[in-house]
Amino acid sequence: MQAYSHAQQNVIKDFTVKENLTQNGRLAIVATDTTGQASEAINGTFVFTLNGLQQELSFRNGVAVADSKIASSTFVFFKHKNQEDTIGKLFYVFKSDKGLNPIKISGLALLLIPSIILLIAYTFKRFILAAVILALAYAFFNYSQGLSLGNLMESIIMGIKNFI
């Protein structure tokens, strides 16, 4: 029974992303429980997918540091699959002189923003050209900042799944 409870503690139920404490341009993944509290009992190697690239991250006291450096502001989609379910989160990592600032983006927001633009365009038909230009600018910004269509769709699906 003791081995089973230790195995249960070593499961990542949720996570958040922060800048590494050394501010070296790398992101730290912090294992949390479902309430958002850090799980310091998480130790070992866990497989994460970052923008479609699979990486083994070594957690120590609930924290792991991603191997790749962030060179400029970009979107990063983190996904982890454990025995129970799959956890996926989309972050916009804003890089400035002060360091990295990861901002979590809800999958529902990625669905609502274009929907609102289309609703406004439908309501005000004479502004349809402006709405199309805004939608194209939104799509270009996402693409130029490293967010592929696959990651965008997967983030929307995860956001809807977490909402339901």
Side-chain angles (χ1 to χ4, degrees), residues 19-20 22-25 70-73 93-101:
E19 181 179 16
N20 191 12
T22 60
Q23 292 186 335
N24 58 358
I70 305 293
S72 64
S73 298
V93 181
F94 179 73
K95 184 170 184 173
S96 67
D97 294 338
K98 296 178 182 177
L100 301 176
N101 182 19

Short mmCIF file of all heavy atoms in Angstrom, two decimals, residues 19-20 22-25 70-73 93-101:
data_model
loop_
_atom_site.label_atom_id
_atom_site.label_comp_id
_atom_site.label_asym_id
_atom_site.label_seq_id
_atom_site.Cartn_x
_atom_site.Cartn_y
_atom_site.Cartn_z
N GLU A 19 8.91 32.13 -15.36
CA GLU A 19 10.29 32.33 -15.79
C GLU A 19 11.20 31.62 -14.80
O GLU A 19 10.96 31.62 -13.60
CB GLU A 19 10.64 33.82 -15.84
CG GLU A 19 12.06 34.04 -16.32
CD GLU A 19 12.43 35.51 -16.40
OE1 GLU A 19 11.71 36.34 -15.83
OE2 GLU A 19 13.45 35.80 -17.04
N ASN A 20 12.28 31.03 -15.31
CA ASN A 20 13.26 30.39 -14.46
C ASN A 20 13.85 31.43 -13.51
O ASN A 20 14.06 32.58 -13.88
CB ASN A 20 14.35 29.76 -15.33
CG ASN A 20 15.26 28.85 -14.54
OD1 ASN A 20 14.99 28.50 -13.40
ND2 ASN A 20 16.35 28.47 -15.15
N THR A 22 16.76 31.95 -12.46
CA THR A 22 18.05 32.53 -12.85
C THR A 22 17.91 33.52 -14.00
O THR A 22 18.90 34.13 -14.41
CB THR A 22 19.04 31.43 -13.26
OG1 THR A 22 18.49 30.70 -14.35
CG2 THR A 22 19.33 30.50 -12.10
N GLN A 23 16.72 33.69 -14.51
CA GLN A 23 16.43 34.61 -15.62
C GLN A 23 17.40 34.42 -16.78
O GLN A 23 17.98 35.36 -17.30
CB GLN A 23 16.44 36.06 -15.14
CG GLN A 23 15.33 36.38 -14.20
CD GLN A 23 15.25 37.84 -13.85
OE1 GLN A 23 16.23 38.57 -13.91
NE2 GLN A 23 14.08 38.29 -13.46
N ASN A 24 17.54 33.15 -17.20
CA ASN A 24 18.46 32.83 -18.29
C ASN A 24 17.73 32.61 -19.61
O ASN A 24 18.28 32.00 -20.52
CB ASN A 24 19.29 31.60 -17.93
CG ASN A 24 18.44 30.38 -17.62
OD1 ASN A 24 17.21 30.45 -17.65
ND2 ASN A 24 19.07 29.27 -17.33
N GLY A 25 16.51 33.08 -19.73
CA GLY A 25 15.77 32.94 -20.98
C GLY A 25 15.06 31.60 -21.11
O GLY A 25 14.56 31.28 -22.18
N ILE A 70 14.18 30.94 -24.89
CA ILE A 70 13.21 31.77 -25.60
C ILE A 70 13.97 32.98 -26.15
O ILE A 70 14.49 33.79 -25.39
CB ILE A 70 12.07 32.22 -24.66
CG1 ILE A 70 11.39 31.03 -24.01
CG2 ILE A 70 11.09 33.10 -25.40
CD1 ILE A 70 10.63 30.14 -24.96
N ALA A 71 14.03 33.09 -27.47
CA ALA A 71 14.80 34.16 -28.10
C ALA A 71 13.97 35.43 -28.28
O ALA A 71 14.51 36.53 -28.22
CB ALA A 71 15.32 33.71 -29.47
N SER A 72 12.67 35.27 -28.50
CA SER A 72 11.80 36.43 -28.67
C SER A 72 10.40 36.06 -28.21
O SER A 72 10.13 34.90 -27.92
CB SER A 72 11.78 36.87 -30.13
OG SER A 72 11.21 35.86 -30.93
N SER A 73 9.52 37.02 -28.13
CA SER A 73 8.15 36.76 -27.72
C SER A 73 7.53 35.74 -28.65
O SER A 73 7.68 35.82 -29.88
CB SER A 73 7.33 38.06 -27.75
OG SER A 73 7.86 38.99 -26.84
N VAL A 93 4.48 33.97 -24.34
CA VAL A 93 5.66 34.35 -23.57
C VAL A 93 6.16 35.67 -24.11
O VAL A 93 6.65 35.74 -25.24
CB VAL A 93 6.75 33.26 -23.65
CG1 VAL A 93 7.96 33.66 -22.81
CG2 VAL A 93 6.20 31.92 -23.19
N PHE A 94 6.00 36.72 -23.30
CA PHE A 94 6.42 38.06 -23.67
C PHE A 94 7.83 38.26 -23.16
O PHE A 94 8.09 38.17 -21.97
CB PHE A 94 5.47 39.11 -23.09
CG PHE A 94 5.86 40.51 -23.41
CD1 PHE A 94 5.68 41.01 -24.68
CD2 PHE A 94 6.40 41.34 -22.43
CE1 PHE A 94 6.04 42.31 -24.99
CE2 PHE A 94 6.76 42.64 -22.73
CZ PHE A 94 6.58 43.13 -24.02
N LYS A 95 8.76 38.53 -24.08
CA LYS A 95 10.15 38.75 -23.69
C LYS A 95 10.44 40.24 -23.72
O LYS A 95 10.20 40.91 -24.71
CB LYS A 95 11.10 38.01 -24.63
CG LYS A 95 12.54 38.15 -24.19
CD LYS A 95 13.46 37.25 -24.95
CE LYS A 95 14.85 37.42 -24.36
NZ LYS A 95 15.77 36.50 -24.90
N SER A 96 11.00 40.72 -22.61
CA SER A 96 11.39 42.13 -22.51
C SER A 96 12.76 42.20 -21.85
O SER A 96 13.37 41.18 -21.55
CB SER A 96 10.36 42.91 -21.69
OG SER A 96 10.37 42.48 -20.35
N ASP A 97 13.22 43.42 -21.63
CA ASP A 97 14.51 43.61 -20.96
C ASP A 97 14.49 43.08 -19.53
O ASP A 97 15.52 42.69 -18.99
CB ASP A 97 14.90 45.09 -20.94
CG ASP A 97 15.16 45.62 -22.33
OD1 ASP A 97 15.45 44.81 -23.23
OD2 ASP A 97 15.05 46.85 -22.53
N LYS A 98 13.32 43.04 -18.92
CA LYS A 98 13.18 42.57 -17.54
C LYS A 98 13.11 41.06 -17.45
O LYS A 98 13.11 40.50 -16.36
CB LYS A 98 11.95 43.19 -16.90
CG LYS A 98 12.02 44.69 -16.77
CD LYS A 98 10.76 45.24 -16.17
CE LYS A 98 10.83 46.75 -16.09
NZ LYS A 98 9.60 47.34 -15.59
N GLY A 99 12.98 40.37 -18.56
CA GLY A 99 12.90 38.91 -18.56
C GLY A 99 11.69 38.40 -19.30
O GLY A 99 11.13 39.08 -20.15
N LEU A 100 11.29 37.19 -18.96
CA LEU A 100 10.16 36.54 -19.61
C LEU A 100 8.90 36.69 -18.76
O LEU A 100 8.96 36.62 -17.54
CB LEU A 100 10.45 35.05 -19.81
CG LEU A 100 11.68 34.70 -20.65
CD1 LEU A 100 11.89 33.20 -20.66
CD2 LEU A 100 11.54 35.24 -22.05
N ASN A 101 7.78 36.89 -19.43
CA ASN A 101 6.50 36.99 -18.75
C ASN A 101 5.51 36.07 -19.47
O ASN A 101 4.92 36.46 -20.47
CB ASN A 101 6.00 38.43 -18.75
CG ASN A 101 4.70 38.58 -18.00
OD1 ASN A 101 4.32 37.73 -17.20
ND2 ASN A 101 4.00 39.66 -18.27
#
